[in-house]
Amino acid sequence: AYIGSTPYTSLQQAVQDAGDKAVIELAQDLALDQPLAVSAKALTLTGKDGGSYTVSRKDSYSGSLVSVESGGQLTLKNIILDGGAIWSAETSVLRRQNGGAKSQSPLAVVQSGTLVLDAGAALQNNDNEKAEKPAAGGVMVLEGTLVLTADAAVRDNRAAANAGGVYLDASVLRMEANASVCHNSAVAGSEQSVMSCVGGVQAVADSQILLGGSARIFENAGTGGGVTLSDRAVLTVSDNGSISGNRAVIGTLAGKAVHTGGGVSAERAESVQVEGAAVIWGNFVEDAAGKRISYNNLLYLEQSETAGAPVSVTGALDAAAKIGVGRYRLTGEMGFLPVSGAAVLFSSEQAALAGKAAFACDDGSFRHVLSDRNGDLMATEQCMYALAAVSRIERGESSLYRMQTETP
């Protein structure tokens, strides 16, 4: 490692000697047997001469690689923190096996500090087997801030409780500039962990998730798929931010089948705020065998029948916005009951085209419900009507069921 032209044989020593706002350059891959600890100063760790380098664990070590605390700030650029997991080539991130290293900690822990993942930075391939809560595969943030920018990623991690990717407690996650949280999973290490396992991001205790700038939370899986919000946590999606392709897999708790939503689950009214080209779409629920049961984008866990709307539209939604909302009420028996008034916040054209993709069969017909294997004539007829209506809208013609005479 280097600070300016001064070489160091120990990265820990370089961090200890560095002054506030110093830049430390790494010139080779490195394996650690203790966390790189940053407190009470701001440092940048980057690859020397623009190179990309990997920081991993020594064989005898299973703890975190980075610790940021007590007002410290660490920016990683062209640095990859790698947990050493070697994943099998399974289609589902929940079913893949790890033939490499396993750990007892997330890759990074932030407590009353800030971690910034800049260009070329990633937290990846960590398999945290410790089921004790709270837990995370990628990073745990406690009363701190995590920033992902410039294509940075938290990817391909797994946890036995809480969050495969990011766990937030009274903290802020800001994602921008094509950053991503993806391909993470949470597999319960005990029955008690089932309802707290989300693949992507779990936010509790007034935490905030700010998702914009074409950043994505996608293809994560657990009892909850993309994001879970509780204890007054808030998610804001704007500026082409998207949550898609995440899956919730039904688990078992006290003999009951449970899940916490494919895309986003929220337990409080207006805990999801959207504007612009926000997308919460294409998320789903599957059974233990991997069969897709339903699309499930925003699961709103109502505490009562008089609860307010789950989504607050804080600015104009543009034509690219797609947000699906399902309203459910907690039953008090570890289960959920559907509540009337499910809502979909996007244009009718998008609804028809999205439905066409979801319900289409290989023979060109359309099914009535997603669990049907074959299409039926009534569903196919209704889909044709919907597509005809879309076509008329695109050509500037009157709506399909407008029966009055057109005025020349």
Side-chain angles (χ1 to χ4, degrees):
Y2 290 82
I3 300 178
S5 60
T6 303
Y8 284 82
T9 58
S10 165
L11 179 57
Q12 279 88 350
Q13 189 63 53
V15 169
Q16 183 177 327
D17 290 353
D20 188 32
K21 300 182 180 179
V23 176
I24 302 173
E25 296 180 301
L26 199 61
Q28 62 184 22
D29 295 339
L30 197 62
L32 302 178
D33 59 5
Q34 59 181 309
L36 184 65
V38 176
S39 64
K41 57 185 174 183
L43 299 178
T44 296
L45 179 62
T46 185
K48 188 171 177 59
D49 299 323
S52 178
Y53 297 99
T54 299
V55 177
S56 59
R57 297 182 178 96
K58 289 185 177 180
D59 291 342
S60 59
Y61 181 59
S62 62
S64 298
L65 291 173
V66 163
S67 173
V68 185
E69 58 187 24
S70 303
Q73 176 173 317
L74 176 63
T75 299
L76 300 180
K77 187 173 184 179
N78 293 324
I79 299 294
I80 295 172
L81 304 187
D82 194 298
I86 301 173
W87 303 110
S88 60
E90 302 290 339
T91 303
S92 169
V93 294
L94 275 177
R95 292 173 179 81
R96 60 188 179 184
Q97 301 298 311
N98 176 16
K102 298 179 181 180
S103 76
Q104 295 292 306
S105 301
L107 288 167
V109 175
V110 181
Q111 188 161 11
S112 303
T114 300
L115 176 63
V116 179
L117 303 186
D118 206 336
L123 309 182
Q124 65 182 33
N125 298 329
N126 191 49
D127 189 359
N128 182 2
E129 293 187 306
K130 191 172 183 179
E132 181 180 339
K133 302 178 185 178
V139 54
M140 182 185 301
V141 189
L142 310 173
E143 298 183 346
T145 299
L146 174 65
V147 179
L148 276 64
T149 188
D151 297 294
V154 177
R155 62 194 178 210
D156 294 304
N157 302 291
R158 181 164 67 186
N162 294 105
V166 180
Y167 177 79
L168 303 170
D169 186 337
S171 298
V172 175
L173 167 61
R174 188 169 77 245
M175 296 179 61
E176 59 195 21
N178 299 299
S180 62
V181 173
C182 62
H183 305 143
N184 303 287
S185 61
V187 179
S190 66
E191 186 178 78
Q192 289 71 31
S193 299
V194 168
M195 288 299 289
S196 66
C197 282
V198 58
V201 182
Q202 184 174 94
V204 305
D206 296 295
S207 291
Q208 297 181 58
I209 303 171
L210 307 173
L211 182 66
S214 299
R216 299 189 297 160
I217 298 174
F218 71 98
E219 295 180 9
N220 303 283
T223 313
V227 175
T228 62
L229 306 168
S230 60
D231 300 329
R232 303 169 305 281
V234 174
L235 165 69
T236 301
V237 185
S238 63
D239 190 22
N240 293 296
S242 68
I243 298 172
S244 63
N246 302 286
R247 66 183 69 188
V249 178
I250 293 177
T252 302
L253 181 62
K256 295 182 180 293
V258 295
H259 70 83
T260 55
V264 178
S265 70
E267 66 175 27
R268 189 175 68 89
E270 299 186 355
S271 53
V272 179
Q273 302 175 356
V274 296
E275 63 180 63
V279 173
I280 305 175
W281 190 247
N283 306 284
F284 53 91
V285 176
E286 65 179 32
D287 64 18
K291 179 182 177 182
R292 187 173 300 184
I293 297 173
S294 64
Y295 279 86
N296 186 278
N297 294 292
L298 200 157
L299 179 66
Y300 177 38
L301 308 181
E302 292 190 338
Q303 303 297 321
S304 70
E305 293 193 31
T306 59
V311 175
S312 173
V313 180
T314 56
L317 291 174
D318 69 21
K322 291 190 288 187
I323 302 107
V325 182
R327 298 169 66 90
Y328 283 67
R329 185 171 68 254
L330 293 173
T331 65
E333 297 182 355
M334 303 299 182
F336 308 123
L337 292 175
V339 177
S340 61
V344 185
L345 305 179
F346 49 87
S347 66
S348 58
E349 308 92 291
Q350 291 167 331
L353 296 176
K356 176 179 180 292
F359 291 88
C361 298
D362 292 340
D363 63 359
S365 66
F366 294 87
R367 73 196 86 191
H368 188 68
V369 294
L370 287 171
S371 59
D372 288 347
R373 293 184 177 274
N374 301 310
D376 66 70
L377 290 176
M378 180 176 289
T380 302
E381 177 189 32
Q382 293 300 317
C383 188
M384 293 301 104
Y385 278 127
L387 294 175
V390 170
S391 177
R392 293 181 66 82
I393 291 172
E394 290 177 339
R395 295 198 302 268
E397 299 174 352
S398 64
S399 61
L400 182 65
Y401 291 104
R402 186 175 181 180
M403 303 301 180
Q404 66 203 63
T405 303
E406 294 291 332
T407 303

